[in-house]
Amino acid sequence: MSTPQTPMPPATPGTPYSGYTSPIPVVRTHLGHALASEWTKIKSVRSTMWTLGVFLALVIGIGLLTGSVVGGSASEGELGSESALALGFFGLLLGSICIITLGVLTTAAEYGTGMIRTTMTACPSRGRVLTAKALVFFALAFISTLVSSSLVAVAQVGMVDAREPSGGEWLKATVGVSLYLALLGLLSLVVGSIIRHSAGAITIMIGAVLAPLVIALFMFSASLEDLRNFLLEYSIPNQLSVFYANSLSESGPSGWDPLWIMLGVTAVAFAGAYALLERRDV
């Protein structure tokens, strides 16, 4: 026979119930908590590992293959004053598609699955969430690109009989191109936050990479020459090739100009995404 339980007295209106104290300490959240959350999410998603795996396979595989083919077929001194570092361009150009895809999925995938509601409930500061996503992704993209591009650069210089690269060329072909691709991926992340649709944002970014160059190739009219040159010079593939001193034209961006251009475009897009994030409903 069960013993009847004494009913709990009703709480006095306006007085909090003090019968239970949570063992979890209550602290004010900050950017560090958001960074830890975003790092946990991005490393635990299977698509991140697959995308980065394909990126590394493309950059390193194509880079080593190109270096071995050129090193085995080029005769001594055939490359003249050219540097072997330029051979790393092909793998990074294809690998940029993976960085773009991962950047879009970092934000747009949460909107597609509805997980963004949980994220915003845990951290109502929307700007903090976007900033944390941007910082975590930028660091991941930069380190991945730096490791793979440096490995390929060292291997290609050893494979190919060409001029010894200078310190500035080494810096641009490793750190410079890694910063550029990380910013390109960050721009994709911001576009994913604006569009909130994975397939649509990926299509827009791939179009931004390929469309200017493809359109310019079919502008045969003399009246369109200025527009054709502009599209060729400022297309993303040409800007990427500038880091290897292998531009499609003698005019246009040079040196570190592509990095500043991408930084400006990404900053403007980030400001727009932040403004829309504060005004829209999740």
Side-chain angles (χ1 to χ4, degrees):
M1 182 175 182
S2 59
T3 304
Q5 297 181 356
T6 303
M8 186 175 295
T12 305
T15 302
Y17 177 64
S18 59
Y20 173 78
T21 301
S22 174
I24 303 175
V26 179
V27 296
R28 293 182 62 86
T29 58
H30 50 74
L31 181 60
H33 295 115
L35 289 173
S37 173
E38 294 303 326
W39 169 244
T40 301
K41 283 190 287 186
I42 198 170
K43 74 176 182 179
S44 60
V45 177
R46 188 176 301 175
S47 61
T48 301
M49 302 305 168
W50 277 103
T51 307
L52 284 181
V54 173
F55 170 75
L56 295 175
L58 286 174
V59 175
I60 297 176
I62 294 178
L64 295 180
L65 179 62
T66 305
S68 62
V69 170
V70 175
S73 61
S75 58
E76 185 177 355
E78 183 177 345
L79 295 178
S81 60
E82 296 183 10
S83 169
L85 294 177
L87 301 176
F89 166 77
F90 307 107
L92 283 173
L93 181 60
L94 287 177
S96 64
I97 304 299
C98 299
I99 296 295
I100 288 173
T101 303
L102 183 59
V104 169
L105 292 178
T106 302
T107 50
E110 285 202 53
Y111 287 98
T113 60
M115 184 65 184
I116 192 65
R117 298 184 181 91
T118 305
T119 300
M120 294 303 182
T121 301
C123 181
S125 178
R126 300 182 179 185
R128 184 188 301 168
V129 171
L130 184 60
T131 301
K133 287 181 180 294
L135 292 176
V136 169
F137 173 81
F138 182 86
L140 180 62
F142 173 75
I143 293 174
S144 301
T145 308
L146 180 62
V147 170
S148 57
S149 62
S150 300
L151 177 62
V152 169
V154 171
Q156 288 176 339
V157 169
M159 290 178 180
V160 180
D161 182 17
R163 175 181 59 83
E164 185 68 22
S166 63
E169 290 174 331
W170 276 105
L171 184 64
K172 290 174 64 178
T174 54
V175 177
V177 76
S178 300
L179 288 172
Y180 185 85
L181 279 186
L183 285 173
L184 179 61
L186 188 58
L187 178 62
S188 305
L189 182 148
V190 171
V191 171
S193 177
I194 295 174
I195 302 300
R196 299 186 173 187
H197 189 274
S198 300
I202 292 173
T203 302
I204 290 174
M205 287 306 303
I206 292 179
V209 172
L210 300 178
L213 183 60
V214 174
I215 293 173
L217 293 176
F218 292 94
M219 289 185 173
F220 303 112
S221 175
S223 59
L224 298 175
E225 183 177 0
D226 292 338
L227 179 59
R228 180 177 67 247
N229 292 336
F230 177 82
L231 292 176
L232 286 174
E233 293 167 358
Y234 289 92
S235 63
I236 290 178
N238 185 59
Q239 291 187 45
L240 190 62
S241 68
V242 170
F243 290 99
Y244 298 100
N246 195 19
S247 177
L248 294 175
S249 62
E250 297 180 357
S251 58
S254 61
W256 293 87
D257 291 345
L259 184 61
W260 313 134
I261 294 172
M262 185 58 65
L263 180 62
V265 172
T266 304
V268 172
F270 190 89
Y274 180 85
L276 288 175
L277 193 63
E278 294 294 334
R279 297 178 58 183
R280 286 174 170 176
D281 189 10
V282 295

